Amino acid sequence: MEPSFIKELSGIVGTDQTLIDTESLACYGYDSTPEHESRPGAVVLPGSEEEICRILALCHGAGVPVTPRGSGTNLSGGSLGRPEGVVIQTSRLNRIVEIDEENLTATVQPGVITSTLHKAVEAQGLFYPPDPGSMNISTIGGNVAENAGGLRGLKYGVTADYVMGLRTALPDGSLLRSGGKVVKDVAGYNLNQLLVSSEGTLGLFTEVTVKLIPRPPVKKTMLVHFPQLEDAALAVSRIIAARVIPATLEFMDRVTIRCIEEYAKVGLPLDVDAVLLIEVDGHPAQVEEEAAAVRAVCEKHRCSFFQTAATADEALKLATARRVALSSLARMKPTTILEDATVPRSCIAPMVKLIQETARKYDLTIGTFGHAGDGNLHPTCLTDERDTDEIARAHQAFAEIFEAAIAMGGTITGEHGVGLAKKKYLPRLVGESGLRVMRGIKGAFDPKGILNPGKVF
Amino acid sequence: MEYVKLINCMRCGMCLPHCPTYKETFLETASPRGRVALMRKIEEGELEASERLLEYLSLCLDCQACATACPCGVNAGEMVAEFKCERHEGRGLSVMEDLVLRKLLPHPDRLEAAVAPMRAYQRSGLQKIVRSLGILKMFPPAIGRMEGLLPELPARPLRRTIDEVTPAVGEERGRVGFFLGCVMSLVFSEASYATVQLLSALGYTVVTPKAQKCCGAPNMLAGDREGLLEAARFNVDLFAGHDLDFIVTDCGGCGAELKKYGHHLAGDEAAAAFGNRVRDISQVLSLHGDELREKLTPLPLTVTYHDPCHIAHCQGIRQEPRSLLKLVPGLDCRELAEADACCGSAGTYNIEKPEMSDRVLSRKIATIKATGAEVLVTSNPGCLLQLKKALAEETPPVRVMHLTEVLHRSLSPR
Ligand SMILES: Cc1cc2nc3c(=O)[nH]c(=O)nc-3n(C[C@H](O)[C@H](O)[C@H](O)COP(=O)(O)OP(=O)(O)OC[C@H]3O[C@@H](n4cnc5c(N)ncnc54)[C@H](O)[C@@H]3O)c2cc1C
Ligand code: SF4
Ligand code: SF4
């Protein structure tokens, strides 16, 4: 990068918040996505919205690409910058601006950690449902940009369902306000929803206003063992057919169970095909009723064991085990390739079966877990990046898995985004017209194409 | 460094919110994930081990909070320490390191003699004069920081005053060896005296071999593996002569190192047996909670407990100290937010990296103040030194006590 450009950049954020040394840049060449690396030209950590706008204006003028970054926990390569570009890390913008109890909203800076927001609103008896597995480190800005889902997605929805207002710095440094605290707003196109899941390609969020709901007074956590995979899958759709929408309905297969148990030691069974983690919440009477209905369905579908957490601690322990599923799998082998295939929930059993068969066909170890309630599965291949042959087979296997997901009416990513990792599958999913419209939108926001170029399409 | 250890990090970022230096800076280079990445890039030949890179790595406190958080079993802190150790190895020791690591630490007599002038300096009132005149400002800042941290030294180190064998009170239930630890014996001899008294009150005969040497942890940090092995060998042989159920220490750092002797002297059965017998004092006392409860008298104090890294992260001991405190009647125990976050002491880190150490410390002090406790309890000499100094300067000042001091005070009220 030009020294004069760097000088202007550091003139905005300060030299100590401008990183250009080889060592620092090497540490921004990755995010949580395996197999993707790209070293940016510079990294800056702005301290205010104004600084962000000025950085964008500077880069826009110079035609320098900009990539937003929260905590770099995304699994699609979305926060990797370009060698000729600048990465803007939002971590310093980590203030909760306001919790508005009258309007039931919270307004935060983009670098606020998801679980920090949870704690702050829960202390006031309120609830912010989106809880990605990475919530202890992912930022709200990153969550909005990826439309992150979580364990509570089935009943409460995903990040998009809670975003009410955004302040977004556009590529030229101007500021776009969309939405706000109003519950109803039909003035023009719904830019809020368009910006959610834009993966940092349309604008950089500088402030996010989210909807809060009253905290459900009680919840019940249940863990159910199924010797047969089909029974578990059937139970998932029958629970919902029985008009019970659990807050959480998570699935773990045999490989995943083994790994979690090895790490978290929560007493998971090692001899069953599948385990479901189910949580129902709401008012006490309703929770009792729903828990009983869940139990009846599971027993009808030949579960071998049905455990209800007796204490909050026990419940937390069970839920924590699910949260660390991915990382526990990662203990087995050095390299973990996690995918995000999503199918209509009636197709869970065939999908899991297909994944297992594909793993066998390509001689791979693939553990599958995920948000069964919403059909979002995470087949995770345990491999070793030094074994190039195995890596090639893994990619072949995933190509087949995605093909099958699309054929079942599913999608190539339910929550992790397209980024770099899933780019090649997007045309197959959205078709020519889909791509054309998306490109048109990108052009309207970012005519010079400086914001997170090369991502999504 | 084994390459597979480096590629085991899947970069999930789960460790980031637990790393004190990341929390202060938000920089990847100051995070566990980043540190592993830097070492990996060196191994892969993509980066050179430049001065700057080593400087980045040396910002790691080796608190191992990352290891507790990492679901993949990566221990970035330990890896950085190992990396530094490997680089130091074969380089030889500097004159100063040779003096401290080889000529002083392994020889308790000399060490105690070396500290004697400090004590005289404090007693003579000279310390007060020096401090008030600001004479220390004329010396390199490190000396000033070291001087400032030192609390009033006891008249004599515990090693000098304790009997080799402290008999059990009442019927003997078992025999334990007591590992003194340099700083505990020299500076916190009262706490260690309390430790021995507690063990004896619970029916243990306490054997304290006076010839014992430093545990060797400082050698390891300086890359002096040979010195560490020598110390380990000596201590293993020394304690093997006595018929002991446990080898007890009230120093978190010593405990963490002693437990690794079997690993250091791989293949040596005596070393493995030694390592397996090592217990932190809280582990032994916890075995006798009910009995202890009966012996304890009320202590109307508000306390909070800080988990030393070497106890919580390195040895995985969290519940024992808390349950022990709960046994004391009248003691109001308040949980500390981020209780197991490093206090910034971290061996000699507070002297070598004063700026970061102070930032990490301030966070700790703020959480301690927020509890409203009158006394901070902890159980590692590094934390005691660091927190004593800082909390004395608060208004109102917060007292700092070793866990065994609190229990002993309740056992035999003054
Ligand atoms: C162990 C683990 C578990 C996970 N579990 C889940 C899960 O359950 N559900 C789920 O949905 N995801 C999950 N993820 C993926 C990831 O955590 C989410 O995508 C998260 O939202 C990313 O947040 P981040 O702050 O790390 O953003 P980053 O990874 O830094 O960035 C993600 C994208 O957002 C853009 N971006 C970041 N900040 C801004 C901003 N202020 N304005 C505009 N664009 C921005 C970036 O350019 C990038 O494209 C998991 C990841 C890991 C490692
Ligand atoms: S060290 Fe562990 S927790 Fe941290 S990024 Fe690597 S794998 Fe994740
Ligand atoms: S040892 Fe402590 S300072 Fe070092 S990387 Fe781990 S958490 Fe961070």
Side-chain angles (χ1 to χ4, degrees):
Chain A
M1 298 208 112
E2 292 287 326
S4 59
F5 178 80
I6 297 291
K7 199 161 167 231
E8 283 189 68
L9 202 56
S10 57
I12 299 171
V13 289
T15 38
D16 54 338
Q17 305 298 344
T18 310
L19 315 175
I20 44 162
D21 58 291
T22 330
E23 291 79 11
S24 293
L25 297 178
C27 287
Y28 285 88
Y30 58 78
D31 53 27
S32 296
T33 323
E35 300 187 277
H36 287 273
E37 285 215 13
S38 163
R39 210 173 285 189
V43 178
V44 288
L45 287 85
S48 67
E49 177 182 83
E50 193 219 324
E51 285 182 10
I52 290 184
C53 291
R54 286 173 61 198
I55 298 164
L56 282 168
L58 173 71
C59 292
H60 194 254
V64 169
V66 175
T67 297
R69 180 178 173 108
S71 297
T73 69
N74 77 92
L75 292 160
S76 51
S79 56
L80 296 180
R82 295 259 206 161
E84 75 283 15
V86 173
V87 164
I88 300 183
Q89 186 185 341
T90 61
S91 311
R92 285 176 62 214
L93 296 167
N94 58 356
R95 206 159 45 83
I96 295 179
V97 180
E98 176 198 56
I99 296 175
D100 180 344
E101 295 191 60
E102 265 173 44
N103 287 306
L104 290 188
T105 60
T107 299
V108 301
Q109 291 188 319
V112 167
I113 302 294
T114 318
S115 65
T116 307
L117 177 61
H118 286 158
K119 281 181 212 130
V121 302
E122 279 167 30
Q124 309 199 18
L126 296 169
F127 193 44
Y128 174 69
D131 60 340
S134 51
M135 64 181 198
N136 287 330
I137 184 62
S138 66
T139 65
I140 295 292
N143 290 174
V144 175
E146 297 282 9
N147 189 9
L151 271 63
R152 303 193 276 240
L154 175 57
K155 178 170 179 178
Y156 293 104
V158 293
T159 306
D161 300 313
Y162 294 86
V163 175
M164 294 183 72
L166 291 171
R167 285 168 76 95
T168 308
L170 295 178
D172 63 359
S174 59
L175 205 62
L176 172 75
R177 290 180 189 81
S178 53
K181 287 185 182 175
V182 286
V183 177
K184 294 177 163 184
D185 182 359
V186 291
Y189 295 155
N190 192 338
L191 296 181
N192 255 352
Q193 289 297 314
L194 181 61
L195 287 163
V196 176
S197 81
S198 61
E199 303 191 28
T201 61
L202 300 182
L204 206 154
F205 312 126
T206 58
E207 198 175 275
V208 180
T209 299
V210 295
K211 173 168 84 181
L212 304 175
I213 59 174
R215 194 174 166 186
V218 288
K219 82 175 170 198
K220 241 191 169 76
T221 307
M222 296 157 276
L223 192 75
V224 199
H225 304 176
F226 288 92
Q228 301 289 330
L229 177 69
E230 285 76 10
D231 289 331
L234 218 53
V236 169
S237 36
R238 292 294 153 80
I239 288 170
I240 294 161
R243 306 282 188 273
V244 175
I245 305 287
T248 296
L249 183 36
E250 294 287 311
F251 167 89
M252 291 162 256
D253 78 347
R254 196 182 267 269
V255 178
T256 313
I257 296 167
R258 207 182 61 212
C259 296
I260 296 185
E261 190 49 27
E262 204 145 298
Y263 163 60
K265 308 255 183 312
V266 284
L268 292 178
L270 298 174
D271 57 346
V272 300
D273 258 10
V275 157
L276 294 180
L277 173 79
I278 309 171
E279 230 166 56
V280 291
D281 66 2
H283 286 281
Q286 174 203 352
V287 165
E288 281 308 318
E289 210 173 283
E290 290 190 349
V294 166
R295 181 167 198 142
V297 172
C298 291
E299 280 171 355
K300 187 150 173 250
H301 291 94
R302 293 166 290 275
C303 68
S304 55
F305 182 72
F306 190 100
Q307 179 188 3
T308 308
T311 61
D313 263 5
E314 214 178 294
L316 189 70
K317 211 167 158 195
L318 295 180
T320 304
R322 161 58 188 91
R323 275 188 199 291
V324 298
L326 163 58
S327 310
S328 306
L329 282 165
R331 281 202 160 204
M332 299 293 121
K333 288 267 210 114
T335 312
T336 313
I337 308 180
L338 169 121
E339 279 305 349
D340 189 22
T342 303
V343 292
R345 56 188 160 229
S346 59
C347 298
I348 292 211
M351 191 63 204
V352 174
K353 263 217 132 74
L354 181 127
I355 293 168
Q356 291 178 345
E357 275 158 21
T358 315
R360 259 195 301 279
K361 175 169 154 198
Y362 289 100
D363 190 21
L364 297 164
T365 310
I366 300 185
T368 303
F369 62 96
H371 319 297
D374 39 48
N376 185 188
L377 293 172
H378 294 312
T380 302
C381 184
L382 312 183
T383 165
D384 186 329
E385 60 192 74
R386 292 166 295 186
D387 185 343
T388 44
D389 180 57
E390 190 175 66
I391 297 282
R393 278 182 281 130
H395 286 294
Q396 269 174 316
F398 279 125
E400 278 181 29
I401 290 168
F402 284 129
E403 200 53 47
I406 296 174
M408 289 177 190
T411 179
I412 54 173
T413 167
E415 54 181 21
H416 294 167
V418 178
L420 290 173
K422 239 74 76 75
K423 249 169 90 163
K424 57 176 185 273
Y425 303 116
L426 188 70
R428 169 80 180 81
L429 185 74
V430 301
E432 251 325 296
S433 48
L435 280 181
R436 197 177 59 242
V437 173
M438 287 190 192
R439 290 210 172 97
I441 293 170
K442 167 78 176 167
F445 274 85
D446 182 16
K448 281 177 106 178
I450 65 150
L451 206 59
N452 215 0
K455 307 297 162 63
V456 186
F457 41 64
Chain B
M1 175 99 38
E2 270 177 275
Y3 186 60
V4 67
K5 269 193 178 171
L6 293 165
I7 62 171
N8 263 340
C9 169
M10 65 170 297
R11 299 174 170 174
C12 64
M14 292 291 196
C15 53
L16 270 62
H18 300 273
C19 175
T21 56
Y22 181 79
K23 280 194 281 192
E24 288 305 321
T25 61
F26 299 116
L27 298 177
E28 273 296 318
T29 41
S31 79
R33 180 169 73 171
R35 289 176 174 127
V36 175
L38 287 174
M39 291 185 283
R40 176 174 171 170
K41 298 262 176 238
I42 293 178
E43 203 74 20
E44 289 172 348
E46 261 194 65
L47 283 182
E48 273 177 54
S50 64
E51 277 298 311
R52 182 160 45 219
L53 192 150
L54 297 177
E55 190 59 32
Y56 282 146
L57 288 182
S58 71
L59 205 62
C60 171
L61 297 141
D62 194 14
C63 68
Q64 301 193 17
C66 48
T68 302
C70 177
C72 310
V74 175
N75 187 337
E78 195 173 63
M79 281 159 76
V80 170
E82 199 182 311
F83 175 85
K84 286 199 275 189
C85 188
E86 277 173 15
R87 289 189 54 83
H88 280 277
E89 246 169 316
R91 166 212 64 159
L93 297 176
S94 71
V95 177
M96 193 62 188
E97 284 170 332
D98 184 61
L99 178 73
V100 175
L101 295 173
R102 292 297 179 82
K103 308 236 157 62
L104 222 48
L105 285 179
H107 307 280
D109 285 323
R110 290 190 210 159
L111 185 64
E112 283 158 15
V115 175
M118 272 311 252
R119 194 158 37 236
Y121 158 71
Q122 287 184 335
R123 307 251 139 173
S124 69
L126 193 62
Q127 184 177 42
K128 282 208 183 74
I129 299 173
V130 167
R131 283 188 183 176
S132 64
L133 288 180
I135 292 176
L136 285 164
K137 294 211 180 79
M138 292 157 43
F139 292 95
I143 305 251
R145 283 185 75 85
M146 253 190 283
E147 200 275 351
L149 281 172
L150 214 58
E152 192 173 327
L153 293 172
R156 298 179 69 198
L158 186 69
R159 197 181 70 93
R160 291 287 176 87
T161 54
I162 191 116
D163 295 325
E164 277 239 353
V165 176
T166 309
V169 174
E171 198 182 328
E172 180 181 290
R173 102 167 340 124
R175 290 168 65 80
V176 299
F178 184 51
F179 191 86
L180 284 159
C182 308
V183 187
M184 286 306 295
S185 172
L186 282 171
V187 185
F188 300 109
S189 55
E190 262 187 57
S192 283
Y193 175 76
T195 304
V196 174
Q197 293 305 305
L198 283 162
L199 286 166
S200 137
L202 284 170
Y204 286 102
T205 296
V206 186
V207 184
T208 314
K210 297 220 172 183
Q212 58 183 275
K213 291 187 176 177
C214 165
C215 66
N219 300 75
M220 189 65 185
L221 285 177
D224 178 21
R225 201 184 291 268
E226 212 178 297
L228 163 77
L229 295 183
E230 247 169 58
R233 175 82 278 142
F234 181 88
N235 287 328
V236 168
D237 292 343
L238 179 68
F239 280 82
H242 308 268
D243 180 26
L244 303 169
D245 299 313
F246 303 123
I247 293 153
V248 183
T249 173
D250 55 10
C251 165
C254 295
E257 198 61 52
L258 296 175
K259 284 181 178 177
K260 286 195 282 199
Y261 274 9
H263 168 76
H264 292 324
L265 298 169
D268 182 319
E269 269 178 41
F274 179 100
N276 290 337
R277 250 172 237 154
V278 176
R279 297 285 184 282
D280 181 67
I281 179 67
S282 65
Q283 293 179 297
V284 179
L285 297 180
S286 291
L287 298 175
H288 313 294
D290 290 338
E291 221 173 298
L292 202 54
R293 191 199 313 269
E294 282 175 19
K295 294 188 198 299
L296 297 178
T297 59
L299 199 60
L301 280 178
T302 313
V303 303
T304 188
Y305 176 73
H306 156 69
D307 290 279
C309 303
H310 280 108
I311 303 255
H313 299 302
C314 303
Q315 300 184 61
I317 302 170
R318 291 156 188 279
Q319 272 328 302
E320 289 86 343
R322 290 178 169 79
S323 333
L324 286 168
L325 287 172
K326 294 214 176 89
L327 296 177
V328 179
L331 204 67
D332 177 2
C333 306
R334 307 205 173 151
E335 192 53 37
L336 180 64
E338 301 184 18
D340 65 355
C342 182
C343 66
S345 169
T348 49
Y349 189 94
N350 50 355
I351 292 158
E352 285 155 14
K353 292 272 175 289
E355 198 225 348
M356 183 56 74
S357 172
D358 282 349
R359 285 168 73 175
V360 173
L361 174 64
S362 311
R363 211 183 172 90
K364 188 97 243 170
I365 300 297
T367 55
I368 294 170
K369 297 276 287 180
T371 64
E374 306 156 71
V375 177
L376 176 91
V377 183
T378 188
S379 43
N380 188 57
C383 313
L384 286 168
L385 281 173
Q386 171 98 335
L387 294 170
K388 251 191 190 312
K389 158 109 186 336
L391 288 169
E393 289 162 4
E394 290 297 322
T395 35
V398 179
R399 275 168 61 206
V400 178
M401 289 169 84
H402 191 287
L403 173 68
T404 59
E405 284 180 290
V406 178
L407 295 171
H408 187 239
R409 168 105 19 125
S410 157
L411 183 72
S412 43
R414 272 179 238 167

CSV table of all heavy atoms in Angstrom, one decimal, chain B residues 229 232-234 236-237 240 260-276:
chain,number,residue,atom,x,y,z
B,229,LEU,N,15.5,-29.8,35.2
B,229,LEU,CA,15.7,-31.2,35.4
B,229,LEU,C,16.5,-31.5,36.7
B,229,LEU,O,16.2,-32.4,37.4
B,229,LEU,CB,16.3,-31.9,34.2
B,229,LEU,CG,15.4,-31.8,32.9
B,229,LEU,CD1,16.0,-32.6,31.8
B,229,LEU,CD2,14.0,-32.3,33.2
B,232,ALA,N,14.3,-30.9,39.6
B,232,ALA,CA,13.3,-32.0,39.7
B,232,ALA,C,13.9,-33.2,40.3
B,232,ALA,O,13.4,-33.8,41.2
B,232,ALA,CB,12.7,-32.2,38.4
B,233,ARG,N,15.1,-33.6,39.7
B,233,ARG,CA,15.8,-34.8,40.1
B,233,ARG,C,16.0,-34.8,41.7
B,233,ARG,O,15.8,-35.7,42.4
B,233,ARG,CB,17.1,-34.9,39.3
B,233,ARG,CG,18.1,-36.0,39.6
B,233,ARG,CD,17.8,-37.3,39.0
B,233,ARG,NE,16.8,-38.0,39.8
B,233,ARG,CZ,15.8,-38.7,39.3
B,233,ARG,NH1,15.6,-38.8,38.0
B,233,ARG,NH2,15.0,-39.4,40.1
B,234,PHE,N,16.6,-33.6,42.1
B,234,PHE,CA,17.0,-33.4,43.5
B,234,PHE,C,15.7,-33.6,44.4
B,234,PHE,O,15.7,-34.3,45.4
B,234,PHE,CB,17.6,-32.1,43.7
B,234,PHE,CG,18.1,-31.8,45.1
B,234,PHE,CD1,19.3,-32.3,45.5
B,234,PHE,CD2,17.2,-31.2,46.0
B,234,PHE,CE1,19.7,-32.1,46.8
B,234,PHE,CE2,17.6,-31.0,47.3
B,234,PHE,CZ,18.9,-31.5,47.7
B,236,VAL,N,12.8,-34.9,43.8
B,236,VAL,CA,12.2,-36.2,43.8
B,236,VAL,C,12.9,-37.2,44.8
B,236,VAL,O,12.3,-37.8,45.6
B,236,VAL,CB,12.2,-36.8,42.4
B,236,VAL,CG1,11.9,-38.3,42.4
B,236,VAL,CG2,11.2,-36.1,41.4
B,237,ASP,N,14.3,-37.2,44.7
B,237,ASP,CA,15.1,-38.0,45.5
B,237,ASP,C,14.9,-37.6,47.0
B,237,ASP,O,14.8,-38.5,47.9
B,237,ASP,CB,16.5,-37.9,45.1
B,237,ASP,CG,16.8,-38.6,43.8
B,237,ASP,OD1,15.9,-39.3,43.3
B,237,ASP,OD2,17.8,-38.3,43.1
B,240,ALA,N,11.6,-38.8,48.3
B,240,ALA,CA,11.3,-40.2,48.2
B,240,ALA,C,11.8,-40.9,49.5
B,240,ALA,O,11.3,-41.9,49.8
B,240,ALA,CB,12.1,-40.8,47.0
B,260,LYS,N,4.1,-31.8,37.2
B,260,LYS,CA,4.6,-32.2,35.9
B,260,LYS,C,6.0,-32.9,36.0
B,260,LYS,O,6.5,-33.3,34.9
B,260,LYS,CB,4.8,-30.9,35.0
B,260,LYS,CG,3.5,-30.4,34.5
B,260,LYS,CD,3.6,-29.4,33.4
B,260,LYS,CE,4.0,-28.0,33.9
B,260,LYS,NZ,3.8,-26.9,33.1
B,261,TYR,N,6.5,-33.2,37.2
B,261,TYR,CA,7.8,-33.8,37.3
B,261,TYR,C,7.8,-35.2,36.5
B,261,TYR,O,8.8,-35.5,35.9
B,261,TYR,CB,8.2,-34.0,38.8
B,261,TYR,CG,8.9,-32.8,39.4
B,261,TYR,CD1,8.9,-31.6,38.7
B,261,TYR,CD2,9.4,-32.9,40.7
B,261,TYR,CE1,9.6,-30.5,39.3
B,261,TYR,CE2,10.0,-31.9,41.3
B,261,TYR,CZ,10.1,-30.7,40.6
B,261,TYR,OH,10.7,-29.6,41.2
B,262,GLY,N,6.7,-35.9,36.6
B,262,GLY,CA,6.7,-37.2,36.0
B,262,GLY,C,6.8,-37.0,34.5
B,262,GLY,O,7.5,-37.9,33.8
B,263,HIS,N,6.3,-36.0,33.9
B,263,HIS,CA,6.4,-35.7,32.5
B,263,HIS,C,7.8,-35.2,32.2
B,263,HIS,O,8.4,-35.6,31.2
B,263,HIS,CB,5.3,-34.6,32.2
B,263,HIS,CG,5.5,-34.0,30.8
B,263,HIS,ND1,5.1,-34.6,29.7
B,263,HIS,CD2,6.1,-32.8,30.4
B,263,HIS,CE1,5.4,-33.9,28.6
B,263,HIS,NE2,6.0,-32.7,29.1
B,264,HIS,N,8.4,-34.3,33.0
B,264,HIS,CA,9.7,-33.8,32.8
B,264,HIS,C,10.7,-35.0,32.8
B,264,HIS,O,11.6,-35.1,31.9
B,264,HIS,CB,10.1,-32.8,33.8
B,264,HIS,CG,9.3,-31.5,33.7
B,264,HIS,ND1,8.9,-31.0,32.5
B,264,HIS,CD2,8.9,-30.7,34.7
B,264,HIS,CE1,8.3,-29.9,32.7
B,264,HIS,NE2,8.2,-29.6,34.0
B,265,LEU,N,10.7,-35.8,33.8
B,265,LEU,CA,11.6,-36.9,33.9
B,265,LEU,C,10.9,-38.2,33.4
B,265,LEU,O,10.7,-39.1,34.2
B,265,LEU,CB,12.1,-37.1,35.4
B,265,LEU,CG,12.8,-35.9,36.0
B,265,LEU,CD1,12.9,-36.1,37.5
B,265,LEU,CD2,14.2,-35.7,35.3
B,266,ALA,N,10.5,-38.1,32.1
B,266,ALA,CA,9.7,-39.2,31.6
B,266,ALA,C,10.5,-40.6,31.7
B,266,ALA,O,11.7,-40.7,31.6
B,266,ALA,CB,9.5,-39.0,30.1
B,267,GLY,N,9.7,-41.6,32.1
B,267,GLY,CA,10.3,-42.9,32.2
B,267,GLY,C,10.8,-43.2,33.6
B,267,GLY,O,11.1,-44.3,34.0
B,268,ASP,N,10.9,-42.2,34.4
B,268,ASP,CA,11.4,-42.3,35.8
B,268,ASP,C,10.2,-42.6,36.8
B,268,ASP,O,9.4,-41.7,37.0
B,268,ASP,CB,12.1,-41.1,36.2
B,268,ASP,CG,12.7,-41.2,37.6
B,268,ASP,OD1,12.1,-41.7,38.5
B,268,ASP,OD2,13.9,-40.7,37.7
B,269,GLU,N,10.2,-43.8,37.3
B,269,GLU,CA,9.0,-44.1,38.2
B,269,GLU,C,8.9,-43.3,39.4
B,269,GLU,O,7.8,-42.9,39.8
B,269,GLU,CB,9.1,-45.6,38.6
B,269,GLU,CG,8.4,-46.5,37.6
B,269,GLU,CD,8.5,-48.0,38.0
B,269,GLU,OE1,8.4,-48.3,39.2
B,269,GLU,OE2,8.8,-48.8,37.1
B,270,ALA,N,10.0,-43.0,40.0
B,270,ALA,CA,10.0,-42.2,41.2
B,270,ALA,C,9.4,-40.8,40.9
B,270,ALA,O,8.7,-40.3,41.7
B,270,ALA,CB,11.4,-42.1,41.8
B,271,ALA,N,9.8,-40.3,39.8
B,271,ALA,CA,9.3,-38.9,39.4
B,271,ALA,C,7.8,-39.0,39.2
B,271,ALA,O,7.1,-38.1,39.6
B,271,ALA,CB,10.0,-38.4,38.2
B,272,ALA,N,7.4,-40.0,38.5
B,272,ALA,CA,5.9,-40.2,38.3
B,272,ALA,C,5.2,-40.3,39.6
B,272,ALA,O,4.1,-39.7,39.8
B,272,ALA,CB,5.7,-41.4,37.4
B,273,ALA,N,5.7,-41.1,40.5
B,273,ALA,CA,5.1,-41.3,41.8
B,273,ALA,C,5.0,-40.0,42.5
B,273,ALA,O,4.0,-39.6,43.2
B,273,ALA,CB,5.8,-42.3,42.6
B,274,PHE,N,6.1,-39.2,42.5
B,274,PHE,CA,6.2,-37.9,43.1
B,274,PHE,C,5.1,-37.0,42.5
B,274,PHE,O,4.2,-36.4,43.3
B,274,PHE,CB,7.6,-37.3,42.9
B,274,PHE,CG,7.7,-35.9,43.4
B,274,PHE,CD1,8.4,-35.7,44.6
B,274,PHE,CD2,7.2,-34.8,42.8
B,274,PHE,CE1,8.6,-34.4,45.2
B,274,PHE,CE2,7.4,-33.5,43.3
B,274,PHE,CZ,8.1,-33.3,44.5
B,275,GLY,N,5.0,-36.9,41.2
B,275,GLY,CA,4.1,-36.0,40.5
B,275,GLY,C,2.6,-36.4,40.9
B,275,GLY,O,1.8,-35.5,41.2
B,276,ASN,N,2.4,-37.7,41.0
B,276,ASN,CA,1.0,-38.1,41.3
B,276,ASN,C,0.6,-37.8,42.7
B,276,ASN,O,-0.6,-37.8,43.1
B,276,ASN,CB,0.9,-39.6,41.1
B,276,ASN,CG,0.9,-40.0,39.6
B,276,ASN,OD1,0.6,-39.1,38.8
B,276,ASN,ND2,1.3,-41.2,39.3
